[in-house]
Coordinates of all heavy atoms in Angstrom, one line a residue:
E11 N 148.2 67.4 126.4 CA 146.9 66.8 126.8 C 146.9 66.6 128.4 O 148.0 66.5 129.0 CB 146.7 65.4 126.2 CG 146.5 65.4 124.8 CD 146.2 64.0 124.2 OE1 146.8 63.1 124.6 OE2 145.4 64.0 123.3
T12 N 145.7 66.7 128.9 CA 145.5 66.4 130.3 C 144.6 65.2 130.4 O 143.6 65.2 129.8 CB 144.9 67.6 131.0 OG1 145.8 68.7 130.8 CG2 144.7 67.4 132.5
I13 N 145.0 64.3 131.3 CA 144.2 63.1 131.5 C 143.7 63.1 133.0 O 144.4 63.5 133.9 CB 145.1 61.8 131.4 CG1 145.8 61.8 130.0 CG2 144.3 60.5 131.6 CD1 145.0 61.7 128.8
Q14 N 142.5 62.7 133.1 CA 141.9 62.5 134.5 C 140.8 61.5 134.5 O 140.1 61.3 133.5 CB 141.3 63.8 134.9 CG 140.9 63.8 136.4 CD 140.4 65.1 137.0 OE1 140.2 66.1 136.2 NE2 140.2 65.1 138.3
K16 N 137.5 60.2 136.6 CA 136.5 60.5 137.5 C 135.5 59.4 137.6 O 134.9 59.1 136.5 CB 135.8 61.8 137.1 CG 136.7 63.0 137.0 CD 135.9 64.2 136.5 CE 136.7 65.4 136.3 NZ 136.0 66.6 135.7
I20 N 137.1 58.2 131.9 CA 138.4 58.8 131.5 C 138.1 60.1 130.8 O 137.4 60.1 129.8 CB 139.3 57.9 130.7 CG1 139.6 56.6 131.5 CG2 140.6 58.6 130.4 CD1 140.2 55.5 130.7
Y21 N 138.8 61.2 131.2 CA 138.6 62.5 130.5 C 140.0 62.8 129.9 O 141.0 62.8 130.5 CB 138.2 63.6 131.5 CG 136.8 63.3 132.0 CD1 136.4 62.4 133.0 CD2 135.7 64.0 131.3 CE1 135.2 62.2 133.4 CE2 134.4 63.8 131.7 CZ 134.1 62.9 132.8 OH 132.8 62.7 133.2
I22 N 139.9 63.3 128.6 CA 141.1 63.8 128.0 C 140.8 65.3 127.6 O 139.8 65.5 126.8 CB 141.4 63.0 126.7 CG1 141.7 61.5 127.0 CG2 142.6 63.6 125.9 CD1 141.9 60.6 125.9
N23 N 141.5 66.1 128.1 CA 141.3 67.6 127.9 C 139.9 67.9 128.2 O 139.3 68.8 127.6 CB 141.7 68.0 126.5 CG 143.1 67.9 126.2 OD1 143.9 67.9 127.1 ND2 143.5 67.6 125.0
G24 N 139.3 67.3 129.3 CA 138.0 67.6 129.8 C 136.8 66.9 129.1 O 135.7 67.0 129.5
D25 N 137.2 66.2 128.0 CA 136.1 65.5 127.2 C 136.2 64.0 127.6 O 137.3 63.4 127.6 CB 136.4 65.7 125.7 CG 136.2 67.1 125.2 OD1 135.3 67.8 125.8 OD2 136.9 67.5 124.3
I26 N 135.0 63.4 127.8 CA 134.9 62.0 128.1 C 135.5 61.1 127.0 O 135.1 61.4 125.8 CB 133.5 61.6 128.6 CG1 133.6 60.2 129.3 CG2 132.5 61.6 127.5 CD1 132.3 60.0 130.1
L27 N 136.2 60.1 127.3 CA 136.6 59.1 126.3 C 135.6 58.0 126.2 O 135.2 57.4 127.1 CB 138.0 58.5 126.8 CG 138.5 57.3 125.9 CD1 138.9 57.9 124.5 CD2 139.7 56.7 126.6

Side-chain angles (χ1 to χ4, degrees):
E11 288 183 325
T12 301
I13 308 297
Q14 186 172 12
K16 297 178 187 176
I20 300 167
Y21 291 82
I22 300 174
N23 296 332
D25 296 325
I26 194 166
L27 175 65

